[in-house]
Amino acid sequence: MVTETGTLVDTDRGLLNRRIFIEPEIYRQELEQIFARCWLYLCHDSQIPLPGDFFTTYMGEDPVLVVRGSDGQVRAFLNVCRHRGNRLCRADDGNAASFTCAYHGWTYGNDGRLTGVPNLREAYYNELDRGRWGLHPVAQLDNYKGLYFATFDPEAPPLREYLGEMAWYLDTFVDRREGGIEIVATHKWVMPCNWKFPAENFGGDAYHVQWSHLSAITTGFSVGSTARPADTNRVVSPGQGHGLICIGPDAFGDAPMPEIQAYERDIRPEVETRLGPRAKLVNPIVGTVFPNFSVLRGTSRTLRVWQPRGPEKTEIWSWVVVDKAASPEVKRAFQLSGVRGFSPGGTFEQDDMDNWQECTQTCRGVMSRRVPVNTQMGLGHERYDPALGASVSDCGFSESNHREFYRRWAELMTNKTALRGAGDA
Amino acid sequence: MQTDVARLVDSDRGRISRRIFIEPEIYEQELKQIFARCWLYLCHDSQIPLPGDFFTTYMGEDPVLVIRGSDGQVRAFLNVCRHRGNRLCRADDGNAASLTCAYHGWTYGNDGRLTGVPNLKEAYHGELDRERWGLVPVAQLDNHKGLYFATFDPEAPPLHEYLGEMAWYLDTFFDRREGGIEIIGGVHKWVMPCNWKFPAENFAGDGYHVQWSHLSAVRIGSGGDFRVNADPGGRMLSPGNGHSIITVGADTMADPPAPEILAYEAEIRPEMERRLGSRLNVVKPIVGTVFPNLSMLRPTSRTLRVWHPRGPDKTEVWAWVYADKAAPPEVKEAIRVAGVRVFGPSGTFEQDDMDNWQGCTQTARGAVARRLELSYEMGLGHERFDPDFNAWASDHRYSELNHRRFYRRWERLMAGESWAELGS
């Protein structure tokens, strides 16, 4: 049974029905319509550089194995043995020529082919069609500037088209210098909240910083660049549900550490050359690639996936990233600011988790569930800015990105086709 | 709304959809069509020998009280007070003349009659029809060689017909000597994060996993080498009605590798053969499942167990170690030790299994992983009905024959077929 989600999301009036944050049926529909169709982030190229290198992750609740075959080609499969459905690879990452299931010993090559079936001759009488029972691949896999994405939908548009104008904004996080980025810390933990709260927050919530994070800013962990709606701050929607918060080109969003400030000054000419003239207009510091991949440069530098784990649980997979070309001292400074600000014990992260938990858990009540929530801020005050290739708010605080995110969400939830182009600016 | 499971189980081709292991609607249908209809194991006679003895258990998710009345007759009831539906008896087992609900004090005799209602005269004005509000009995209760079974379905065939040829195979576990078996010690109870059908099918016919899943446990000497070495006499047997047995050759060693046990087995062999007949010279049953959720095992450990369903991705195991009642104390002690070492929450074999069953269940949470079919094709077309065993038999010691017969039965019960339509 499909819930008519079109009636639950009214982005024209900025009203959201809270059922979308708590009901199991709607959650199941999300797994089918959102997570089994959209391009989802898997891992960074630097995590699997060599033949045989693998990384295990999730797409929605589907366990996925990303592996570079002995032939050097990266592939992604359901991390599920085809015989009895057991989880195939148990390691977080590593290097392997083949993968053997713990239950009966079916073995797959690092290209996904079923290569070994114990007792194939005697017990299967050589009649099992091994060609048919290889690992189940994703429908499409692609890589944008070292970021691997995949989709289970063969009809989905190519990755580059799915990202659209968001691609340039991603460059401002992961392709600022030659060599791109590398990972210096990984954290995984579970929060008692619906996955859409963190996704929408990173996608456009500048408004909470001045209040939720006031103590962390006062203590000096952050400059709080989004805490005031400065004239130059903007909320930016490059289309298809993707969203970002940008500060002015001369504003500084990183952690207030001398090594980082000096580094940013040093590399500014290189970054501007690389990113082109738009970098003189805006400085993107946080954003969400629809549906659940977020990037952050303010206070901490992190890439993260909000893995859905039921309507009221989200598993965060968070990586602290640095420019590969940075010096060891600078990398160390970014690693520290990353762990201090955004991690299970991070000063900012703790504020957020508490709020997202309550936004979710209070929906358990049948009356609370009936009361709509408000995403009306700046309604009607957004406009398309050709220079930014995006719909842009008039003020540094706006919920225009929230509305774009949920408009995209509702389209995908109700519309079986037309992933392509829908919601384009 | 009922799910059309025929589309999900293709036992003729050996393909099964993973949806049956994870979807709440299918699980609800199982509670109604499987667990509220089939004969389910309750307890062993030796656990309730005296008038007033009781044992509390479950049939599916229904709490059940098995109790020997003061009149000596064993009865089974929903363990639910009729007044407000509270769980009536909270003890695992014990002896009682009557049972009083913790909430308002309604009291039932050990024959199920409602005998006490506080303030019956003043507050109920003596008008409550106590006859009508006794404990709800199961529809049928019977006992095969000390094993008590019950069903909630008045239409279900009698127990001996439900067991059919499986009865003889059960005897090779529980009626090998005069006096049958007794339960050693208490019950191990614990919850596993897996669907109940994974353990049930595993004990029904998965000889294949032992050589790999349990390789480390076999190597350190916990037993089970009978599966790693060639055994041309081994077979999978399906004696009908979805029941299953794994066998090894008649002379293959398949007991816990303790010297006391091995000597004992050699000694009692002539007595067993007299008792169980000549079929024992052809085949040695070692593991099996009575459809749907009672399993038993005799190599490495001697265990009898029920896989209680607790939602689509949870199973509560209740496992008992058992021994021939006529065995000497040192043999019983050796069996107890082997039982705890190998099968139990921390048993060397049990841990391997639980990890796999968890993986098989939890990965089906994914919307895409759920769409996959699993392969139950091993030995497809290489089974035949063997009159010597009065059962479907595989050609090779490894086969998924029993799995296919298990799921065929499951699918037809889920579709709501009558007992007459079901046949065997």
Side-chain angles (χ1 to χ4, degrees), chain B residues 91-131:
Chain B
D92 291 351
D93 52 53
N95 186 287
S98 64
L99 302 135
T100 300
C101 177
Y103 198 175
H104 306 87
W106 280 29
T107 298
Y108 304 84
N110 60 21
D111 57 358
R113 280 184 310 115
L114 176 60
T115 53
V117 176
N119 312 96
L120 179 64
K121 193 155 55 72
E122 320 89 272
Y124 283 97
H125 304 274
E127 290 163 2
L128 184 81
D129 180 1
R130 278 189 294 172
E131 289 300 307

Side-chain angles (χ1 to χ4, degrees), chain A residues 109-155:
Chain A
N110 60 19
D111 57 359
R113 281 183 309 116
L114 177 61
T115 53
V117 175
N119 311 93
L120 179 65
R121 199 160 46 82
E122 320 90 89
Y124 282 97
Y125 302 85
N126 267 327
E127 290 164 1
L128 184 81
D129 180 1
R130 278 190 293 173
R132 196 184 174 284
W133 294 100
L135 291 181
H136 185 83
V138 297
Q140 301 181 59
L141 174 76
D142 204 353
N143 162 340
Y144 179 77
K145 305 261 170 108
L147 305 172
Y148 276 98
F149 289 83
T151 169
F152 283 116
D153 186 356
E155 310 288 316

Side-chain angles (χ1 to χ4, degrees), chain A residues 1 25 27-28 31-33 35-37 59-63 78-88 90 100-107 116-120 122-125 127-129 132-133 136-137 152 308-311, chain B residues 1 13-15 18 21 23-25 198 201-202 206 208-214 353 355-380 382 394-400 403:
Chain A
M1 199 188 61
E25 299 72 22
Y27 176 75
R28 271 175 72 176
L31 292 185
E32 293 283 351
Q33 298 290 346
F35 291 99
R37 295 173 69 205
M59 291 168 65
E61 292 225 38
D62 280 298
L78 282 180
N79 184 17
V80 173
C81 175
R82 297 297 307 276
H83 177 233
R84 202 57 87 249
N86 197 6
R87 188 184 303 273
L88 178 63
R90 309 301 180 94
T100 300
C101 177
Y103 199 174
H104 302 89
W106 280 27
T107 298
V117 175
N119 311 93
L120 179 65
E122 320 90 89
Y124 282 97
Y125 302 85
E127 290 164 1
L128 184 81
D129 180 1
R132 196 184 174 284
W133 294 100
H136 185 83
F152 283 116
R309 289 286 176 271
Chain B
M1 198 188 59
R13 290 168 65 233
R15 308 271 175 83
R18 304 187 74 204
F21 301 109
E23 295 198 348
E25 297 76 13
F198 283 117
E201 67 155 54
N202 178 287
D206 198 328
Y208 188 50
H209 78 293
V210 179
Q211 60 182 348
W212 180 244
S213 279
H214 301 309
D353 288 331
D355 185 72
N356 290 318
W357 300 334
Q358 169 173 352
C360 293
T361 303
Q362 298 298 333
T363 59
R365 289 177 65 91
V368 178
R370 186 178 301 186
R371 293 178 199 155
L372 297 182
E373 291 180 317
L374 300 178
S375 167
Y376 287 80
E377 297 164 289
M378 194 194 299
L380 186 69
H382 298 273
S394 66
D395 225 26
H396 186 266
R397 68 191 173 120
Y398 294 156
S399 168
E400 283 161 350
H403 298 69

Side-chain angles (χ1 to χ4, degrees), chain B residues 223-240:
Chain B
D225 53 343
F226 56 91
R227 276 288 152 205
V228 175
N229 300 327
D231 170 27
R235 291 282 175 277
M236 294 296 159
L237 298 181
S238 272

Side-chain angles (χ1 to χ4, degrees), chain A residues 16-33:
Chain A
L16 300 179
N17 190 305
R18 302 184 76 202
R19 289 172 53 197
I20 69 171
F21 300 111
I22 197 77
E23 295 199 348
E25 299 72 22
I26 293 176
Y27 176 75
R28 271 175 72 176
Q29 199 168 325
E30 285 181 327
L31 292 185
E32 293 283 351
Q33 298 290 346

Side-chain angles (χ1 to χ4, degrees), chain A residues 388-409:
Chain A
L388 298 183
S391 174
V392 179
S393 66
D394 225 26
C395 170
F397 293 162
S398 170
E399 280 158 355
S400 51
N401 283 5
H402 295 66
R403 293 188 288 274
E404 289 302 320
F405 179 91
Y406 287 105
R407 181 171 295 143
R408 180 65 163 173
W409 180 90

